[in-house]
Amino acid sequence: MRDWKDVDVPLGPFKSRGDILIKAGDVLDIIAKLEDSLMIMSSLASNRFNGPFKKDIMLWLKKLSDTSEILERWLQVQALWMYLEAVFVGGDISRQLPQEAKRFANIDKSWVKVMYKTRDNPNVTEVCTGDEVVSSSLLFLVEQLELCQKSLTVYLESKRLIFPRFFFISDPVLLEILGQASDPNSIQPHLLSIFDGVASVDFDDKKGDTVMAMSSSNGEKIPVITPVKCVGLVEIWIGKLLESVLDTIRNMMGSLGQQISDPKFD
């Protein structure tokens, strides 16, 4: 069909790695256009006067249907690849899940090959149905990415079981916390999601990894009764921070109770 001769897969840049993404919005427009063409071809296929053209009509029906299906799968793969790329490329999680990091490295290579092939032959129907390379590669990528995601889910569950307050935050937020574990200061934006009333913490000026005080969203600052060294696994030291916060509050409440019961207070 002439309408599809000049329709290319729209490519876009990703970070500094070149054009290795498909533009999701433009692809959705192409899928909508494919549906319109499929309706026309279906109408032609049911026309009793289509005899001389039936073979071509059936060929294009399959080609357009397969192209639409592959583009939808492509968008699914891309979304999952981008999500996991942020997890496994750099950061601390790749060091804690070395096997899955290695698996993702192979996935990443396969993804780039698909995108380079698309760049060299961008016509949408040709790249999707001209051979089975892209189609089979996307099926492989879906399978491998889902295995990575499953392992990641198990990993996050193990962290939540150690520090149950992680159950109250979303997977992306938890991944951000765990992915920057080597920088304890990165926990600051998420404290209110984990601690009720603690908006920020102050680290020791000399020992940048030790929490010395906590502050509320109103700016009230209180020294913690037990300074907490934030090194090692996040779920461990943040548990110690919780204990220190609770001990500090209990100590304050105890002191306040003594003042109230003191006859001088009357």
Side-chain angles (χ1 to χ4, degrees), residues 116-161:
Y116 282 174
K117 179 177 177 61
T118 305
R119 182 192 62 188
D120 295 338
N121 178 28
N123 180 265
V124 67
T125 55
E126 286 301 312
V127 76
C128 289
T129 63
D131 56 47
E132 296 184 356
V133 173
V134 169
S135 178
S136 59
S137 295
L138 290 175
L139 286 172
F140 167 77
L141 287 169
V142 167
E143 176 186 323
Q144 293 298 304
L145 285 165
E146 287 179 347
L147 286 174
C148 275
Q149 188 176 42
K150 184 177 180 180
S151 296
L152 189 60
T153 299
V154 172
Y155 168 76
L156 295 180
E157 182 74 9
S158 70
K159 301 297 182 181
R160 287 178 166 125
L161 290 173

Short mmCIF file of all heavy atoms in Angstrom, two decimals, residues 116-161:
data_model
loop_
_atom_site.label_atom_id
_atom_site.label_comp_id
_atom_site.label_asym_id
_atom_site.label_seq_id
_atom_site.Cartn_x
_atom_site.Cartn_y
_atom_site.Cartn_z
N TYR A 116 19.51 -0.26 16.30
CA TYR A 116 20.42 0.03 15.20
C TYR A 116 19.87 -0.54 13.89
O TYR A 116 20.00 0.09 12.82
CB TYR A 116 21.81 -0.55 15.47
CG TYR A 116 22.65 0.27 16.44
CD1 TYR A 116 23.89 -0.18 16.88
CD2 TYR A 116 22.20 1.50 16.91
CE1 TYR A 116 24.66 0.57 17.76
CE2 TYR A 116 22.95 2.25 17.80
CZ TYR A 116 24.18 1.78 18.22
OH TYR A 116 24.94 2.53 19.09
N LYS A 117 19.28 -1.72 13.97
CA LYS A 117 18.66 -2.31 12.78
C LYS A 117 17.52 -1.42 12.29
O LYS A 117 17.35 -1.22 11.08
CB LYS A 117 18.15 -3.71 13.09
CG LYS A 117 17.47 -4.40 11.91
CD LYS A 117 17.05 -5.80 12.26
CE LYS A 117 16.29 -6.44 11.09
NZ LYS A 117 17.10 -6.54 9.85
N THR A 118 16.76 -0.89 13.23
CA THR A 118 15.64 -0.01 12.88
C THR A 118 16.16 1.28 12.25
O THR A 118 15.57 1.79 11.29
CB THR A 118 14.82 0.31 14.14
OG1 THR A 118 14.40 -0.91 14.74
CG2 THR A 118 13.61 1.16 13.80
N ARG A 119 17.23 1.81 12.79
CA ARG A 119 17.82 3.04 12.25
C ARG A 119 18.26 2.84 10.79
O ARG A 119 18.09 3.73 9.95
CB ARG A 119 19.00 3.46 13.10
CG ARG A 119 19.68 4.76 12.68
CD ARG A 119 21.01 4.93 13.39
NE ARG A 119 21.94 3.84 13.04
CZ ARG A 119 23.12 3.66 13.64
NH1 ARG A 119 23.50 4.46 14.62
NH2 ARG A 119 23.91 2.65 13.27
N ASP A 120 18.80 1.65 10.51
CA ASP A 120 19.29 1.37 9.16
C ASP A 120 18.16 1.10 8.16
O ASP A 120 18.33 1.32 6.96
CB ASP A 120 20.25 0.18 9.19
CG ASP A 120 21.52 0.48 9.98
OD1 ASP A 120 21.85 1.68 10.13
OD2 ASP A 120 22.16 -0.47 10.46
N ASN A 121 17.04 0.60 8.67
CA ASN A 121 15.89 0.30 7.80
C ASN A 121 14.62 0.70 8.54
O ASN A 121 13.93 -0.14 9.11
CB ASN A 121 15.86 -1.19 7.44
CG ASN A 121 14.67 -1.55 6.57
OD1 ASN A 121 14.17 -0.71 5.82
ND2 ASN A 121 14.21 -2.79 6.69
N PRO A 122 14.30 2.00 8.55
CA PRO A 122 13.26 2.50 9.46
C PRO A 122 11.81 2.31 9.00
O PRO A 122 10.90 2.55 9.79
CB PRO A 122 13.58 3.98 9.55
CG PRO A 122 14.21 4.31 8.24
CD PRO A 122 14.99 3.09 7.85
N ASN A 123 11.58 1.86 7.76
CA ASN A 123 10.19 1.72 7.30
C ASN A 123 9.42 0.80 8.25
O ASN A 123 9.85 -0.32 8.52
CB ASN A 123 10.14 1.18 5.88
CG ASN A 123 8.72 1.02 5.39
OD1 ASN A 123 8.13 -0.05 5.47
ND2 ASN A 123 8.13 2.10 4.88
N VAL A 124 8.30 1.27 8.72
CA VAL A 124 7.62 0.60 9.83
C VAL A 124 7.15 -0.81 9.46
O VAL A 124 7.29 -1.75 10.25
CB VAL A 124 6.46 1.46 10.37
CG1 VAL A 124 5.33 1.60 9.34
CG2 VAL A 124 5.92 0.90 11.67
N THR A 125 6.58 -0.99 8.28
CA THR A 125 6.11 -2.32 7.92
C THR A 125 7.26 -3.26 7.58
O THR A 125 7.20 -4.46 7.85
CB THR A 125 5.13 -2.26 6.72
OG1 THR A 125 5.75 -1.59 5.62
CG2 THR A 125 3.86 -1.52 7.12
N GLU A 126 8.33 -2.70 7.00
CA GLU A 126 9.48 -3.53 6.64
C GLU A 126 10.24 -4.01 7.87
O GLU A 126 10.62 -5.17 7.96
CB GLU A 126 10.42 -2.76 5.69
CG GLU A 126 9.90 -2.62 4.28
CD GLU A 126 9.65 -3.96 3.63
OE1 GLU A 126 10.53 -4.84 3.70
OE2 GLU A 126 8.55 -4.15 3.06
N VAL A 127 10.49 -3.09 8.80
CA VAL A 127 11.26 -3.48 9.98
C VAL A 127 10.48 -4.45 10.87
O VAL A 127 11.06 -5.30 11.54
CB VAL A 127 11.71 -2.23 10.79
CG1 VAL A 127 10.57 -1.64 11.60
CG2 VAL A 127 12.88 -2.58 11.71
N CYS A 128 9.16 -4.34 10.84
CA CYS A 128 8.34 -5.21 11.68
C CYS A 128 8.05 -6.56 11.04
O CYS A 128 7.92 -7.57 11.74
CB CYS A 128 7.02 -4.53 12.03
SG CYS A 128 7.18 -3.16 13.18
N THR A 129 7.94 -6.59 9.69
CA THR A 129 7.53 -7.85 9.04
C THR A 129 8.46 -8.30 7.93
O THR A 129 8.25 -9.36 7.34
CB THR A 129 6.10 -7.69 8.46
OG1 THR A 129 6.12 -6.67 7.43
CG2 THR A 129 5.11 -7.29 9.53
N GLY A 130 9.49 -7.49 7.60
CA GLY A 130 10.40 -7.86 6.51
C GLY A 130 11.15 -9.14 6.81
O GLY A 130 11.42 -9.95 5.93
N ASP A 131 11.53 -9.34 8.07
CA ASP A 131 12.10 -10.60 8.55
C ASP A 131 11.67 -10.76 10.00
O ASP A 131 10.93 -9.95 10.54
CB ASP A 131 13.63 -10.62 8.40
CG ASP A 131 14.30 -9.45 9.10
OD1 ASP A 131 13.95 -9.18 10.27
OD2 ASP A 131 15.18 -8.80 8.50
N GLU A 132 12.13 -11.84 10.62
CA GLU A 132 11.68 -12.13 11.99
C GLU A 132 12.65 -11.64 13.06
O GLU A 132 12.47 -11.94 14.23
CB GLU A 132 11.43 -13.63 12.15
CG GLU A 132 10.31 -14.16 11.28
CD GLU A 132 10.03 -15.63 11.55
OE1 GLU A 132 10.76 -16.23 12.36
OE2 GLU A 132 9.07 -16.16 10.95
N VAL A 133 13.68 -10.91 12.65
CA VAL A 133 14.72 -10.51 13.61
C VAL A 133 14.15 -9.63 14.72
O VAL A 133 14.31 -9.91 15.91
CB VAL A 133 15.88 -9.79 12.90
CG1 VAL A 133 16.87 -9.24 13.93
CG2 VAL A 133 16.59 -10.73 11.95
N VAL A 134 13.45 -8.56 14.34
CA VAL A 134 12.90 -7.65 15.34
C VAL A 134 11.83 -8.33 16.16
O VAL A 134 11.81 -8.25 17.40
CB VAL A 134 12.33 -6.38 14.66
CG1 VAL A 134 11.52 -5.55 15.67
CG2 VAL A 134 13.45 -5.54 14.08
N SER A 135 10.94 -9.06 15.50
CA SER A 135 9.85 -9.74 16.22
C SER A 135 10.38 -10.74 17.23
O SER A 135 9.97 -10.75 18.39
CB SER A 135 8.94 -10.44 15.21
OG SER A 135 7.91 -11.15 15.88
N SER A 136 11.32 -11.59 16.81
CA SER A 136 11.88 -12.61 17.72
C SER A 136 12.71 -11.96 18.82
O SER A 136 12.71 -12.42 19.97
CB SER A 136 12.72 -13.62 16.93
OG SER A 136 13.78 -12.98 16.26
N SER A 137 13.41 -10.88 18.48
CA SER A 137 14.22 -10.18 19.49
C SER A 137 13.34 -9.57 20.58
O SER A 137 13.67 -9.63 21.77
CB SER A 137 15.06 -9.08 18.84
OG SER A 137 16.01 -9.61 17.96
N LEU A 138 12.21 -9.00 20.18
CA LEU A 138 11.30 -8.39 21.16
C LEU A 138 10.70 -9.45 22.07
O LEU A 138 10.53 -9.22 23.27
CB LEU A 138 10.20 -7.61 20.44
CG LEU A 138 10.67 -6.32 19.73
CD1 LEU A 138 9.51 -5.70 18.95
CD2 LEU A 138 11.22 -5.31 20.74
N LEU A 139 10.37 -10.62 21.52
CA LEU A 139 9.85 -11.71 22.35
C LEU A 139 10.89 -12.15 23.37
O LEU A 139 10.57 -12.40 24.54
CB LEU A 139 9.44 -12.89 21.47
CG LEU A 139 8.14 -12.72 20.67
CD1 LEU A 139 7.96 -13.87 19.69
CD2 LEU A 139 6.94 -12.62 21.60
N PHE A 140 12.14 -12.27 22.92
CA PHE A 140 13.24 -12.63 23.82
C PHE A 140 13.41 -11.57 24.91
O PHE A 140 13.58 -11.89 26.10
CB PHE A 140 14.53 -12.78 23.02
CG PHE A 140 15.78 -12.85 23.86
CD1 PHE A 140 16.12 -14.02 24.53
CD2 PHE A 140 16.61 -11.74 24.00
CE1 PHE A 140 17.26 -14.08 25.31
CE2 PHE A 140 17.75 -11.80 24.78
CZ PHE A 140 18.08 -12.97 25.43
N LEU A 141 13.36 -10.31 24.51
CA LEU A 141 13.55 -9.21 25.46
C LEU A 141 12.43 -9.18 26.51
O LEU A 141 12.69 -8.93 27.69
CB LEU A 141 13.64 -7.89 24.72
CG LEU A 141 14.94 -7.65 23.95
CD1 LEU A 141 14.81 -6.44 23.03
CD2 LEU A 141 16.11 -7.46 24.91
N VAL A 142 11.21 -9.40 26.08
CA VAL A 142 10.09 -9.44 27.04
C VAL A 142 10.33 -10.50 28.10
O VAL A 142 10.20 -10.26 29.31
CB VAL A 142 8.75 -9.71 26.32
CG1 VAL A 142 7.67 -10.07 27.33
CG2 VAL A 142 8.30 -8.50 25.53
N GLU A 143 10.73 -11.69 27.64
CA GLU A 143 10.97 -12.81 28.56
C GLU A 143 12.08 -12.48 29.55
O GLU A 143 11.94 -12.70 30.76
CB GLU A 143 11.32 -14.05 27.74
CG GLU A 143 11.69 -15.26 28.58
CD GLU A 143 12.19 -16.42 27.72
OE1 GLU A 143 11.64 -16.60 26.61
OE2 GLU A 143 13.13 -17.10 28.17
N GLN A 144 13.20 -11.96 29.04
CA GLN A 144 14.35 -11.66 29.90
C GLN A 144 14.07 -10.49 30.85
O GLN A 144 14.46 -10.52 32.03
CB GLN A 144 15.56 -11.36 29.03
CG GLN A 144 16.08 -12.53 28.23
CD GLN A 144 16.54 -13.67 29.13
OE1 GLN A 144 17.40 -13.48 29.99
NE2 GLN A 144 15.96 -14.84 28.94
N LEU A 145 13.39 -9.48 30.36
CA LEU A 145 13.06 -8.33 31.21
C LEU A 145 12.10 -8.73 32.33
O LEU A 145 12.23 -8.25 33.46
CB LEU A 145 12.44 -7.22 30.36
CG LEU A 145 13.41 -6.42 29.48
CD1 LEU A 145 12.66 -5.63 28.43
CD2 LEU A 145 14.28 -5.49 30.33
N GLU A 146 11.17 -9.60 32.04
CA GLU A 146 10.23 -10.06 33.07
C GLU A 146 10.95 -10.88 34.14
O GLU A 146 10.59 -10.81 35.32
CB GLU A 146 9.09 -10.84 32.44
CG GLU A 146 8.10 -9.96 31.68
CD GLU A 146 6.98 -10.73 31.02
OE1 GLU A 146 7.10 -11.98 30.92
OE2 GLU A 146 6.00 -10.09 30.59
N LEU A 147 11.97 -11.64 33.73
CA LEU A 147 12.78 -12.37 34.71
C LEU A 147 13.52 -11.39 35.63
O LEU A 147 13.60 -11.59 36.85
CB LEU A 147 13.78 -13.29 34.00
CG LEU A 147 13.21 -14.55 33.35
CD1 LEU A 147 14.30 -15.27 32.57
CD2 LEU A 147 12.62 -15.49 34.40
N CYS A 148 14.08 -10.33 35.03
CA CYS A 148 14.76 -9.30 35.82
C CYS A 148 13.80 -8.63 36.79
O CYS A 148 14.12 -8.40 37.96
CB CYS A 148 15.36 -8.24 34.89
SG CYS A 148 16.99 -8.64 34.26
N GLN A 149 12.62 -8.31 36.29
CA GLN A 149 11.62 -7.64 37.12
C GLN A 149 11.18 -8.54 38.28
O GLN A 149 10.99 -8.07 39.41
CB GLN A 149 10.43 -7.22 36.29
CG GLN A 149 9.43 -6.34 37.05
CD GLN A 149 8.31 -5.86 36.16
OE1 GLN A 149 7.79 -6.61 35.33
NE2 GLN A 149 7.92 -4.61 36.30
N LYS A 150 11.02 -9.83 37.99
CA LYS A 150 10.62 -10.77 39.04
C LYS A 150 11.68 -10.83 40.14
O LYS A 150 11.36 -10.80 41.34
CB LYS A 150 10.41 -12.15 38.44
CG LYS A 150 9.90 -13.19 39.43
CD LYS A 150 9.63 -14.53 38.75
CE LYS A 150 9.12 -15.55 39.76
NZ LYS A 150 8.86 -16.86 39.10
N SER A 151 12.95 -10.91 39.74
CA SER A 151 14.04 -10.93 40.73
C SER A 151 14.08 -9.63 41.53
O SER A 151 14.34 -9.63 42.74
CB SER A 151 15.38 -11.14 40.02
OG SER A 151 15.43 -12.39 39.40
N LEU A 152 13.81 -8.54 40.85
CA LEU A 152 13.81 -7.24 41.52
C LEU A 152 12.68 -7.16 42.54
O LEU A 152 12.85 -6.62 43.64
CB LEU A 152 13.67 -6.12 40.48
CG LEU A 152 13.86 -4.69 40.98
CD1 LEU A 152 15.25 -4.50 41.56
CD2 LEU A 152 13.62 -3.70 39.84
N THR A 153 11.52 -7.71 42.20
CA THR A 153 10.38 -7.73 43.12
C THR A 153 10.72 -8.52 44.38
O THR A 153 10.40 -8.11 45.50
CB THR A 153 9.13 -8.33 42.44
OG1 THR A 153 8.79 -7.53 41.30
CG2 THR A 153 7.96 -8.38 43.40
N VAL A 154 11.37 -9.68 44.20
CA VAL A 154 11.79 -10.51 45.34
C VAL A 154 12.80 -9.74 46.19
O VAL A 154 12.75 -9.77 47.44
CB VAL A 154 12.39 -11.84 44.85
CG1 VAL A 154 13.01 -12.62 46.01
CG2 VAL A 154 11.32 -12.68 44.15
N TYR A 155 13.70 -9.06 45.54
CA TYR A 155 14.73 -8.26 46.24
C TYR A 155 14.08 -7.16 47.09
O TYR A 155 14.42 -6.99 48.27
CB TYR A 155 15.66 -7.66 45.20
CG TYR A 155 16.59 -6.58 45.69
CD1 TYR A 155 17.73 -6.89 46.43
CD2 TYR A 155 16.35 -5.24 45.39
CE1 TYR A 155 18.60 -5.89 46.85
CE2 TYR A 155 17.21 -4.23 45.80
CZ TYR A 155 18.33 -4.57 46.54
OH TYR A 155 19.19 -3.58 46.96
N LEU A 156 13.12 -6.44 46.52
CA LEU A 156 12.44 -5.38 47.25
C LEU A 156 11.64 -5.94 48.41
O LEU A 156 11.57 -5.34 49.49
CB LEU A 156 11.53 -4.58 46.31
CG LEU A 156 12.21 -3.78 45.20
CD1 LEU A 156 11.18 -3.06 44.36
CD2 LEU A 156 13.21 -2.78 45.78
N GLU A 157 11.03 -7.10 48.20
CA GLU A 157 10.26 -7.74 49.27
C GLU A 157 11.18 -8.09 50.45
O GLU A 157 10.80 -7.91 51.61
CB GLU A 157 9.60 -9.01 48.74
CG GLU A 157 8.73 -9.75 49.74
CD GLU A 157 7.41 -9.07 50.00
OE1 GLU A 157 7.07 -8.10 49.29
OE2 GLU A 157 6.70 -9.50 50.94
N SER A 158 12.39 -8.56 50.15
CA SER A 158 13.33 -8.91 51.23
C SER A 158 13.72 -7.67 52.03
O SER A 158 13.88 -7.75 53.25
CB SER A 158 14.58 -9.57 50.63
OG SER A 158 15.37 -8.65 49.90
N LYS A 159 13.86 -6.53 51.38
CA LYS A 159 14.20 -5.28 52.07
C LYS A 159 13.03 -4.83 52.95
O LYS A 159 13.23 -4.34 54.07
CB LYS A 159 14.54 -4.19 51.06
CG LYS A 159 15.72 -4.51 50.15
CD LYS A 159 17.01 -4.69 50.93
CE LYS A 159 18.18 -4.96 50.02
NZ LYS A 159 19.46 -5.16 50.75
N ARG A 160 11.82 -4.99 52.44
CA ARG A 160 10.64 -4.58 53.20
C ARG A 160 10.42 -5.45 54.43
O ARG A 160 9.92 -4.98 55.45
CB ARG A 160 9.41 -4.60 52.29
CG ARG A 160 9.38 -3.45 51.28
CD ARG A 160 8.19 -3.54 50.36
NE ARG A 160 7.99 -2.28 49.63
CZ ARG A 160 7.92 -2.17 48.32
NH1 ARG A 160 8.02 -3.25 47.55
NH2 ARG A 160 7.74 -0.99 47.75
N LEU A 161 10.76 -6.72 54.32
CA LEU A 161 10.61 -7.62 55.46
C LEU A 161 11.58 -7.25 56.58
O LEU A 161 11.28 -7.44 57.76
CB LEU A 161 10.81 -9.07 55.03
CG LEU A 161 9.70 -9.66 54.14
CD1 LEU A 161 10.09 -11.03 53.64
CD2 LEU A 161 8.38 -9.72 54.91
#
